């Protein structure tokens, strides 16, 4: 009989201790950080967290802190507050993959465009170098031989030389 009574006393004591531990778990703060993620702590949130993002403080129920119906509020307002406070759902694997593929395609396009621009710049630099060499030849005053369609060699006359000089200078103006 005494063993049964001692067993009841022990059970009651254990229950009281467990309830005490459970109430200490209620002494927590819950708030949403700047990314919308719930944060749990036994310390108050940082001062930078606005009060509307604090969902629960010790002695306050989670439902009340999350925007449930309080005195003077109607259920529609409470639902709107819950919708604002709830963070967006994390993206699915398919959405993450689609975003990755989009970034990958954008990077490939950017690299292709950069390579094309580099090739154009290289070609322009090469053409400018040829035009400068041609201009030095035209400015030297030496006779310049040309080969016609029949393979016959002829020399540039002064009119041809002046036209070639004007054309070459137009090309060199684009090089600067």
């Amino acid at each position: 009989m005494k063993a049964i009574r001692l067993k009841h006393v022990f059970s009651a004591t254990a229950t009281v201790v467990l309830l005490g531990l459970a109430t200490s778990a209620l002494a927590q703060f819950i708030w949403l950080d700047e990314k919308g993620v719930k944060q749990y702590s036994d310390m108050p949130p940082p001062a930078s967290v606005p009060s509307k993002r604090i969902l629960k403080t010790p002695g306050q129920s989670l439902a009340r802190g999350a925007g449930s119906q309080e005195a003077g509020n109607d259920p529609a307002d409470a639902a709107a507050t819950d919708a604002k406070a709830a963070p967006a759902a994390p993206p699915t694997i398919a959405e993450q993959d689609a975003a990755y593929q989009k970034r990958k395609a954008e990077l490939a396009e950017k690299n292709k465009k950069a390579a094309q621009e580099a090739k154009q710049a290289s070609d322009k630099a090469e053409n400018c170098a040829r035009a400068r060499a041609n201009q030095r030849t035209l400015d030297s005053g030496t006779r310049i031989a040309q080969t016609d369609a029949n393979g016959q060699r002829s020399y540039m006359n002064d009119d041809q030389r002046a036209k070639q000089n004007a054309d070459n200078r137009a090309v060199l103006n684009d090089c600067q």
Side-chain angles (χ1 to χ4, degrees), residues 115-131:
Q116 188 177 26
E117 288 174 356
K119 172 121 173 67
Q120 287 175 346
S122 172
D123 290 347
K124 184 176 181 179
E126 190 176 315
N127 287 338
C128 288
R130 284 190 195 129

Side-chain angles (χ1 to χ4, degrees), residues 5-63:
R5 208 180 286 165
L6 188 60
K7 189 176 184 181
H8 286 293
V9 169
F10 179 72
S11 295
T13 305
T15 303
V16 169
V17 168
L18 288 176
L19 285 175
L21 290 175
T23 57
S24 68
L26 292 176
Q28 285 190 346
F29 292 88
I30 303 175
W31 69 92
L32 295 174
D33 65 7
E34 61 276 349
K35 295 178 184 175
V37 178
K38 279 188 182 178
Q39 300 294 321
Y40 299 88
S41 176
D42 58 346
M43 303 294 290
S48 63
V49 177
S51 61
K52 66 181 180 179
R53 296 179 82 181
I54 298 174
L55 303 177
K56 179 183 175 285
T57 58
Q60 176 187 20
S61 70
L62 178 61

